[in-house]
Amino acid sequence: MEKHLERALIEVYYALAEFEQARNREQGKGGGAGPEADEQAESLFITLRLARWGLETALRGLQACEKRDAEASAVH
């Protein structure tokens, strides 16, 4: 499970980086496709950031559970 979360998180990091590069290129060209496209792009960026946050939180929770289980096993 942890490997799946890590892989998904890496994919989100790559998507965010590609999105940032594309957005910077468009801004460098002097604009974009209009306000509606800008709103959609911003919504996508926010969704990717929320996905990243969710995956990071899930991964930290899983790691905390594994640490707690390991500590409990060491005590017994």
Side-chain angles (χ1 to χ4, degrees), residues 4-48:
H4 291 292
L5 287 173
E6 289 173 349
R7 182 66 188 157
L9 188 56
I10 289 168
E11 292 296 328
V12 169
Y13 284 147
Y14 280 126
L16 280 166
E18 288 177 19
F19 183 86
E20 274 293 317
Q21 289 174 353
R23 187 163 67 170
N24 290 338
R25 277 193 305 272
E26 282 300 312
Q27 288 175 350
K29 290 180 183 177
E36 186 176 312
D38 290 342
E39 275 184 37
Q40 289 176 343
E42 190 62 27
S43 292
L44 174 60
F45 186 68
I46 290 168
T47 301
L48 285 170

Side-chain angles (χ1 to χ4, degrees), residues 41-60:
E42 190 62 27
S43 292
L44 174 60
F45 186 68
I46 290 168
T47 301
L48 285 170
R49 288 177 55 201
L50 287 171
R52 180 192 69 193
W53 176 80
L55 288 166
E56 288 170 344
T57 302
L59 189 56
R60 279 193 306 272

